[in-house]
Amino acid sequence: MTATRGTFITGIVFLGAMAGLLGGFNLHWSREPVFPLYGILIDVLAVPALIYVLLYVRRLKVAATDEFAQTKKRLAAQTGIVIGFGLFAVSGIVPMIFPDAYTSFIGTLDGAHEGFLMGRVLGMAPFVLGLIVGQVVVWTKYR
Amino acid sequence: MNNRLKVLRAERNWSQADLADRLKVSRQTVNAIETGKYDPSLPLAFQLARLFEMRIEDIFTPE
């Protein structure tokens, strides 16, 4: 732990501000009839700088956290992904085991758009649950 | 892994925070090592050995 948490947070804020400004300006320029030349020049200069700052902030993050914190985060992430895939697989089996319930559920959806939204939510939910389980596992192991 | 960290620290009248500062780790790390919930990496174990002027095996013993 050779950097303070404050330095890391400052780095994150700076990176966020830089990315936000660049994104905002690009959005503004892309709405103009022709993407301005100075915008392209700024992008060419700013994107490498943004990548450099991103890598630097990553180094700050490693320097600001000690090995125990990293171990906890790694365990939480690994557990979360495994549990997430497990739950995702289980959710895929549900229509095979309960075909009637599945069919009636699909029938309640109001068209393809709602089906698409429901699919996005249900596809993401196991992984969100997995991440929560990962945090709980770490908390119970190291509390 | 068992360790004598708590005893060694107490002999020197260091708090967990003092030891953490000397090792440049968090107090939580020191606490987790002392309570046996976490085994330190080899570099950290060497750092501890240097700090207490002992060999690693004099601080840590396998269960």
Side-chain angles (χ1 to χ4, degrees):
Chain A
M1 219 163 55
T2 52
T4 62
R5 198 157 178 77
T7 317
F8 170 59
I9 291 168
T10 309
I12 284 282
V13 170
F14 183 77
L15 178 67
M18 201 174 166
L21 276 173
L22 196 62
F25 278 124
N26 269 284
L27 197 67
H28 175 69
W29 293 328
S30 66
R31 283 177 179 166
E32 289 184 17
V34 180
F35 199 92
L37 183 63
Y38 63 84
I40 295 170
L41 287 173
I42 289 171
D43 278 352
V44 166
L45 293 173
V47 169
L50 188 70
I51 292 167
Y52 177 81
V53 172
L54 178 72
L55 295 175
Y56 184 71
V57 168
R58 276 186 66 191
R59 284 223 307 270
L60 278 180
K61 185 189 169 191
V62 171
T65 52
D66 66 354
E67 59 176 57
F68 181 50
Q70 285 173 26
T71 301
K72 285 197 287 187
K73 278 179 193 153
R74 196 174 300 133
L75 178 65
Q78 285 170 348
T79 311
I81 289 169
V82 169
I83 298 277
F85 269 112
L87 291 173
F88 185 72
V90 168
S91 72
I93 296 169
V94 168
M96 298 175 208
I97 301 173
F98 306 106
D100 294 339
Y102 173 72
T103 311
S104 72
F105 168 70
I106 292 293
T108 62
L109 298 179
D110 191 19
H113 180 63
E114 201 175 308
F116 170 73
L117 291 178
M118 192 59 76
R120 289 189 72 184
V121 171
L122 292 181
M124 207 177 352
F127 292 97
V128 174
L129 271 175
L131 288 177
I132 294 167
V133 172
Q135 292 296 332
V136 172
V137 166
V138 167
W139 184 74
T140 51
K141 188 175 178 189
Y142 291 118
R143 80 197 147 98
Chain B
M1 188 82 76
N2 295 319
N3 68 76
R4 297 176 52 221
L5 213 58
K6 195 171 182 177
V7 176
L8 295 169
R9 182 172 61 75
E11 283 171 0
R12 286 157 182 79
N13 282 326
W14 291 345
S15 65
Q16 286 187 343
D18 292 335
L19 181 57
D21 282 346
R22 286 165 202 268
L23 294 169
K24 292 188 168 48
V25 296
S26 65
R27 194 195 56 76
Q28 284 80 5
T29 304
V30 171
N31 183 54
I33 295 170
E34 274 189 11
T35 52
K37 287 176 182 163
Y38 173 66
D39 292 331
S41 67
L42 209 47
L44 185 55
F46 271 109
Q47 225 178 315
L48 278 162
R50 261 200 304 275
L51 186 65
F52 289 118
E53 294 176 335
M54 294 175 131
R55 296 178 307 166
I56 290 177
E57 54 266 45
D58 294 331
I59 303 172
F60 295 95
T61 46
E63 278 178 295

